[in-house]
Amino acid sequence: MNETPVDATDDDDAVERVLANAGRPSAGYSVFGSGRAQALQADETTGFDSGDGEQFDREDRQALRRVGGLSTELEDVTEVEYRQLRLENVVLIGVYSQGSLQDAENSLRELAALAETAGAVVLDGVLQRRPHPDPSTYFGRGKADELRAIVASLGADTVIADTELAPSQRRALEDVVKVKVIDRTAVILDIFSQHAKSREGKAQVELAQLEYLLPRLRGWGESMSRQAGGQVGGAGAGMGSRGPGETKIELDRRRINTRMAKLRAQLKGFAPAREAKRANRKRNEVPSVAIAGYTNAGKSSLLNRITRAGVLVENALFATLDATVRRTRTEDGRTYTLADTVGFVRNLPHQLVEAFRSTLEEVADSDVIVHVVDASHPDPASQIATVRDVIGDVGGRDITEIVVFNKSDLVSEDDRLILRGLEPSGIFASARTGEGIQEILDRIADALPRPSVIIEALVPYDRGELISMLHRRAQVTSIDYTEEGTRVEALVSEEIAAQLGDFVTARRANTADEVAEV
């Protein structure tokens, strides 16, 4: 039998092909690139200045930081109860069926920013294109096995999915990859839990966490054991041994439901205080302006720049959760309130929308909404759509909206042209440099409701409190001191005109032309 000689060059070519393909990802995967999450700015572009006011919360938050570079001994998810406290190393996963790969990567980069804000280290991310996520393991059985190899090679101890997983998907994927698996909702809830400061904020976050946890309870070992009453001993004999009894996981469910009922009652108890504050503003006819927008778009920085409120400013997602309300004035003397609200994010968990509905009421009850957009974000159009969807859900779709493209000092002129196409009437501003702040204030002043009546009044000198009230609650256009008393002309509401009573010498309706002249 004659043997065919083997060419040495063919062997060399085969080895080169194997080595060249060794570093490539498996078929069906797109490996998430390295680099900082695009939802966060570079460190050199962040920070606050003396115009922000005193930020004592910033020092408190920076005072405690976890130490990176520590590995974990966790090799199986069932050991999670005995694991020591570590800085978690995570791998991100996502499945996309529609849209481009760039859109999917933007969503995964935002998930990376969420994970970094929660205190984790992102090692890598993996995207898979398929028509629908696998109903069992989300990634598909074969790809889940490959994911287990990636997790083991990187030394990760957590996998985060860029969607909300069903409880069965989470358990099945954990059984395959042998590490903890969580979803996007769990990460957002964890961030909210870390950053909530007020009693109401903590109660809202706890309620959202319990609503998320209830269908995902999982028992290990003695958690599935059953209770028994009567004279039942360790051997399981005697009276009271009839019936299956109640498992510990059922007891946990009942306790969670009881706690949720208490939290809902507690949140209802906060409502009268909020309503009293709003009623006081309405009674004094103080207009309100709500600052809404995507998380980390610079809402708190903008509030600090205008009012020196001293609200915490940090290059992190959901840095501030509690609504902050400050009083300020227009250049013509009209008083209004400026409220900083909680930020939004794509795929915002419905538990948070419901739990923070009381905070979002500041948006629904406002007279003007200042919609802040991060001009430096790679996908500002999706930010605008996400925020407007949430505003519509809370009933604020018909309120006057002023779009502000913040962080304009980080974008080029070409990017400004693109942003102008998204919103022709938008204002380019920078809370860091002060660009566009005056234009924002002018636009707010034009959009605020004006008094409906122009009056002329002669107020006796012994009724000086009426003149003081006009300066506080109305727009005084002219004032003169005569022998009979103080002659004043002002733009007022019907209620204030009624309080002046017989001192009013002339009144007429306020028209748009007269407002422009004033």
Side-chain angles (χ1 to χ4, degrees), residues 42 56 146 204 238 338 344 473:
F56 299 111
E146 296 183 22
Q204 289 169 332
L338 203 61
F344 307 141
R473 300 174 53 187

Side-chain angles (χ1 to χ4, degrees), residues 143-363:
K143 298 302 179 184
D145 291 335
E146 296 183 22
L147 176 63
R148 178 177 59 188
I150 294 175
V151 168
S153 64
L154 295 176
D157 49 20
T158 303
V159 172
I160 305 178
D162 190 23
T163 186
E164 184 169 341
L165 295 177
S168 59
Q169 287 178 318
R170 176 170 165 260
R171 287 193 298 268
L173 193 55
E174 279 183 346
D175 293 339
V176 175
V177 299
K178 302 300 182 184
V179 297
K180 182 176 65 175
V181 176
I182 60 176
D183 54 21
R184 185 187 187 95
T185 302
V187 177
I188 295 176
L189 289 173
D190 185 79
I191 296 172
F192 272 55
S193 178
Q194 294 179 40
H195 293 177
K197 296 298 182 183
S198 66
R199 286 183 59 203
E200 185 175 7
K202 291 179 180 178
Q204 289 169 332
V205 172
E206 185 179 356
L207 177 60
Q209 286 178 317
L210 292 176
E211 288 179 347
Y212 174 79
L213 176 63
L214 186 60
R216 293 170 174 80
L217 282 180
R218 182 175 182 180
W220 286 312
E222 294 183 357
S223 297
M224 302 304 294
S225 62
R226 296 185 180 274
Q227 296 178 346
Q231 299 178 1
V232 178
M239 291 184 296
S241 61
R242 302 179 185 88
E246 183 181 39
T247 61
K248 186 177 183 298
I249 196 170
E250 291 170 346
L251 180 62
D252 291 341
R253 289 195 183 103
R254 189 172 71 249
R255 287 176 175 171
I256 289 177
N257 283 320
T258 302
R259 179 60 180 166
M260 287 169 60
K262 290 182 179 179
L263 288 172
R264 291 192 181 101
Q266 184 178 354
L267 290 174
K268 287 183 180 179
F270 292 123
R274 290 194 311 270
E275 292 298 330
K277 293 178 182 178
R278 292 196 186 107
N280 189 37
R281 294 200 297 263
K282 291 179 181 178
R283 183 171 60 253
N284 294 326
E285 297 188 353
V286 178
S288 61
V289 177
I291 302 178
Y294 214 75
T295 180
N296 206 40
K299 301 181 296 300
S300 299
S301 299
L302 191 62
L303 179 68
N304 288 344
R305 171 64 68 171
I306 296 175
T307 66
R308 292 181 57 84
V311 179
L312 173 69
V313 173
E314 188 176 16
N315 184 27
L317 275 63
F318 300 113
T320 52
L321 300 181
D322 301 317
T324 303
V325 182
R326 292 292 184 269
R327 182 185 292 262
T328 186
R329 288 177 176 270
T330 61
E331 291 186 351
D332 53 16
R334 287 176 293 156
T335 301
Y336 66 95
T337 60
L338 203 61
D340 179 22
T341 59
V342 64
F344 307 141
V345 72
R346 71 176 79 187
N347 301 325
L348 188 67
H350 68 277
Q351 297 97 335
L352 285 176
V353 176
E354 291 299 323
F356 278 78
R357 185 166 294 276
S358 59
T359 302
L360 296 176
E361 287 174 1
E362 292 291 344
V363 177

Side-chain angles (χ1 to χ4, degrees), residues 3-135:
E3 296 183 359
T4 304
V6 179
D7 192 351
T9 57
D10 293 339
D11 288 341
D12 294 340
D13 293 341
V15 171
E16 290 178 359
R17 286 197 302 271
V18 171
L19 293 177
N21 293 327
R24 295 181 181 177
S26 303
Y29 276 120
S30 297
V31 179
F32 179 58
S34 61
R36 188 172 181 84
Q38 294 183 14
L40 301 177
Q41 273 66 52
D43 292 335
E44 59 269 15
T45 64
T46 60
F48 66 99
D49 53 30
S50 58
D52 288 343
E54 298 295 336
Q55 295 186 30
F56 299 111
D57 290 343
R58 185 183 182 90
E59 297 179 1
D60 294 339
R61 187 172 292 182
Q62 296 289 344
L64 181 62
R65 281 289 185 245
R66 298 164 112 183
V67 179
L70 300 177
S71 62
T72 176
E73 72 279 2
L74 178 64
E75 295 182 355
D76 190 276
V77 72
T78 56
E79 301 175 10
V80 70
E81 297 180 42
Y82 313 105
R83 183 179 56 176
Q84 299 178 17
L85 181 61
R86 301 292 194 219
L87 186 66
E88 291 187 82
N89 296 320
V90 301
V91 172
L92 312 179
I93 61 173
V95 172
Y96 68 102
S97 58
Q98 299 177 350
S100 64
L101 176 62
Q102 183 178 2
D103 295 336
E105 286 196 354
N106 284 337
S107 179
L108 206 63
R109 290 186 184 278
E110 184 176 271
L111 180 61
L114 290 169
E116 289 179 11
T117 303
V121 176
V122 179
L123 301 179
D124 207 345
V126 179
L127 286 170
Q128 183 187 17
R129 185 182 183 93
R130 55 179 298 157
H132 302 284
D134 187 271

